Amino acid sequence: MNLKKGVAVITQRLTAFLRSRDPSIEGRQTPDVKISEGSQAEERLRLAMEASRDGLWDWKIKTGETYVSPSYYQMLGYERSDLAANVDALFIDLLHPDDREPTLSSVYERLQSIGHYEIEFRMRCHDGTYQWINSRGKLVERDAQGAPSRAIGTHTNITERKLHELKLIESERRFNEIANSAPVMIWMSGLDKLCYFFNKTWLDFTGRTLEEESGHGWAEGVHPDDVDNCLKIYVESFDAQRPFSMDYRLRRHDGEFRWIQDQGIPRFNEKGQFLGYMGSCVDISERKQAEDYFRIIVEASPYAMLLLNDQGTIDFVNRELTTLFGYSSKELVGQFIETLVPKEIAKDHVQFRNTYFGKPVACSIGKERIVMGRRKNGSMFQAEIGLSPFYIGHRQYVISVVIDLTERKKAERAIIDLNASLERKVKDRTDALEKASFAKTDFLARMSHEIRNPI
């Protein structure tokens, strides 16, 4: 729209609107209803406008004559002498080109219908930059034929707020791009515990839309045997605002249930206010299958065995190990391996564990890898361990075999003691034989002498 024609267009539209309502007013003069400039009400309004921090304006629609408060000029960096006292110079000419048509159309539609409006747009400052403005306007007078003749309103500089909003929009756009390109499934929930975001990876996995998954819709895909425990962990963790990790089966788009590891963390803003949760999920079906296979093997083993992950926590133990250490399986799974070593060396063991996972090597039983173990009752024992590292996906694990050396050490001590006893007996027997041999030799020598030299 041509700047100079801005007011004319609005006037023409308003006139056309009036004619459509009453054709008899065609060609009739439509005098403005004016407020006496000397009136007290006019003076009070002027003083109020000048005192306000917002830019206040008073627009006589038919003539375009406009009055604005000093703050109106100041927020845009102009002096009163820089601009003429009409709506073209004070408003239309300063509108951002991209905002001009939608802004004028909105003003026209609002003033001819409900008589007031609120709209946001950009206006050019004296230095050539643009500021975001929130404009509120209200029709306060109509002429004798009912056509809008005067409106007043305010301009508020909302640039800082608008830029913040735009940054948030851009940040959200970047987040969506990153989240939708991530290889893991991502979800977000709000303060009401309801989920409102699922990334493309999640939606591709389930074959459902964002609308179908939102709220509690995602729970429809959880296996019936897992859903109660899944929701229980989620709700309890949410109420406590603590991180959680849980495994459950989720229906894939082809109808197959797959094991999912879901890790959720609470979200807080810069003021520490709780905002909800964000979670990420990975398909761990292959790991679950490997764990099942591992359980079959280790449960049949006559040796104590455990499965250790790369975080240093125990994922699985067999019956022999719980018997050896005196713990139940529930007491050990999820605990750090240092639970099973003496407390005085636990800190050093953490460093050893981290070093080992940095460059893991297999170690067979019989290689004299001797460690000290600590039972639940606090008693200590020597143990020989075997280590077999392996990978499941990108995660590293170690199968450990633990052999109690207590009986072996007793047997070895017994053998050592027996050997020592035998050695003592052999020595004693040897000494006795040597003495007997010496006595025999001495007797024969004496007899030979007597025979050769009779009395």
Side-chain angles (χ1 to χ4, degrees):
M1 181 183 294
N2 188 295
L3 295 180
K4 297 300 182 181
K5 295 181 179 179
V7 176
V9 169
I10 294 177
T11 302
Q12 291 171 3
R13 288 177 177 175
L14 290 174
T15 303
F17 172 69
L18 293 172
R19 289 172 180 169
S20 67
R21 293 177 58 191
D22 185 3
S24 65
I25 66 172
E26 177 73 34
R28 193 187 311 168
Q29 293 291 331
T30 55
D32 292 339
V33 178
K34 298 182 179 180
I35 296 178
S36 171
E37 294 184 359
S39 69
Q40 292 183 353
E42 187 82 8
E43 180 64 14
R44 283 197 296 270
L45 176 61
R46 184 185 66 80
L47 293 174
M49 292 174 71
E50 291 181 355
S52 173
R53 295 181 62 183
D54 290 339
L56 305 179
W57 51 266
D58 185 344
W59 174 31
K60 296 180 180 180
I61 297 173
K62 291 294 184 64
T63 65
E65 181 184 356
T66 306
Y67 170 81
V68 297
S69 68
S71 297
Y72 188 104
Y73 294 101
Q74 292 167 7
M75 72 172 58
L76 299 175
Y78 292 102
E79 298 292 337
R80 187 184 298 269
S81 59
D82 294 331
L83 302 171
N86 60 68
V87 74
D88 275 6
L90 290 169
F91 177 56
I92 298 176
D93 289 351
L94 303 181
L95 280 173
H96 191 285
D98 295 342
D99 300 340
R100 205 165 290 155
E101 178 62 30
T103 298
L104 294 177
S105 297
S106 179
V107 170
Y108 159 72
E109 292 171 1
R110 292 296 182 129
L111 290 182
Q112 77 168 350
S113 56
I114 60 178
H116 62 84
Y117 70 86
E118 180 173 350
I119 189 171
E120 296 177 359
F121 46 77
R122 290 162 291 180
M123 292 185 70
R124 188 178 68 251
C125 299
H126 187 266
D127 61 5
T129 62
Y130 283 88
Q131 297 287 324
W132 277 97
I133 303 297
N134 176 269
S135 178
R136 295 182 179 91
K138 182 178 181 180
L139 184 66
V140 294
E141 289 184 11
R142 296 182 183 274
D143 62 17
Q145 286 70 39
S149 62
R150 184 185 179 196
I152 62 174
T154 63
H155 276 191
T156 304
N157 192 326
I158 59 168
T159 302
E160 185 175 349
R161 189 202 81 192
K162 199 70 177 179
L163 291 177
H164 181 66
E165 290 176 356
L166 293 174
K167 286 181 180 178
L168 289 178
I169 293 172
E170 176 61 18
S171 177
E172 183 176 357
R173 184 189 66 80
R174 285 199 300 266
F175 168 78
N176 287 335
E177 289 180 354
I178 294 172
N180 286 327
S181 62
V184 299
M185 297 183 284
I186 298 174
W187 57 268
M188 294 181 70
S189 63
L191 292 174
D192 55 3
K193 296 186 176 71
L194 300 179
C195 295
Y196 62 87
F197 174 82
F198 295 90
N199 71 339
K200 184 177 183 297
T201 307
W202 176 291
L203 300 178
D204 288 345
F205 180 91
T206 61
R208 286 157 58 94
T209 65
L210 178 60
E211 290 73 21
E212 291 172 323
E213 295 291 77
S214 294
H216 284 312
W218 64 272
E220 296 174 2
V222 178
H223 194 283
D225 294 342
D226 302 336
V227 67
D228 288 342
N229 185 59
C230 180
L231 292 177
K232 179 175 181 292
I233 293 174
Y234 174 72
V235 172
E236 289 180 353
S237 300
F238 197 102
D239 291 340
Q241 298 181 14
R242 64 169 180 257
F244 67 82
S245 179
M246 60 182 174
D247 298 347
Y248 56 88
R249 286 162 289 182
L250 185 66
R251 186 172 56 242
R252 197 167 59 183
H253 58 84
D254 58 2
E256 179 185 350
F257 281 97
R258 304 284 291 180
W259 276 102
I260 299 298
Q261 183 179 66
D262 192 340
Q263 294 183 313
I265 56 173
R267 297 183 295 116
F268 300 91
N269 63 14
E270 62 277 2
K271 296 180 180 179
Q273 297 171 321
F274 177 60
L275 301 178
Y277 265 70
M278 171 181 281
S280 61
C281 306
V282 292
D283 188 335
I284 59 169
S285 298
E286 285 73 19
R287 195 194 84 185
K288 284 289 186 181
Q289 292 174 0
E291 289 177 358
D292 291 341
Y293 182 66
F294 172 77
R295 287 186 177 90
I296 294 172
I297 295 174
V298 300
E299 285 295 357
S301 172
Y303 302 108
M305 300 180 68
L306 62 85
L307 178 64
L308 187 69
N309 62 43
D310 53 11
Q311 299 302 308
T313 58
I314 300 169
D315 277 0
F316 179 75
V317 295
N318 69 350
R319 190 179 298 106
E320 292 294 329
L321 189 130
T322 60
T323 301
L324 175 60
F325 284 92
Y327 290 95
S328 68
S329 176
K330 289 183 178 180
E331 290 176 313
L332 289 178
V333 173
Q335 299 299 315
F336 285 102
I337 188 63
E338 284 72 33
T339 303
L340 303 179
V341 303
K343 292 182 179 179
E344 55 269 20
I345 65 172
K347 186 177 296 185
D348 293 334
H349 192 274
V350 172
Q351 183 176 355
F352 164 76
R353 167 168 55 82
N354 292 334
T355 301
Y356 176 81
F357 272 107
K359 192 175 181 180
V361 293
C363 178
S364 302
I365 294 293
K367 297 296 185 181
E368 291 300 316
R369 197 179 193 89
I370 309 301
V371 299
M372 292 298 297
R374 179 173 65 88
R375 298 185 177 91
K376 183 178 180 180
N377 62 13
S379 62
M380 309 293 180
F381 66 96
Q382 280 190 316
E384 182 179 1
I385 62 172
L387 302 174
S388 299
F390 66 99
Y391 284 88
I392 299 177
H394 296 291
R395 291 205 67 182
Q396 191 176 69
Y397 296 85
V398 171
I399 296 177
S400 180
V401 179
V402 183
I403 298 177
D404 184 358
L405 297 182
T406 303
E407 295 303 321
R408 183 198 295 181
K409 291 298 181 181
K410 287 181 180 180
E412 290 176 352
R413 185 73 260 172
I415 291 173
I416 292 172
D417 292 343
L418 178 60
N419 287 337
S421 176
L422 289 174
E423 288 177 359
R424 285 195 302 272
K425 289 180 179 181
V426 169
K427 185 177 183 302
D428 291 344
R429 180 63 175 167
T430 301
D431 290 345
L433 289 174
E434 287 178 351
K435 287 180 180 180
S437 177
F438 176 78
K440 180 180 178 181
T441 302
D442 183 63
F443 172 76
L444 291 176
R446 289 177 182 274
M447 287 300 296
S448 176
H449 176 74
E450 290 297 334
I451 293 171
R452 290 194 304 271
N453 299 290
I455 299 176

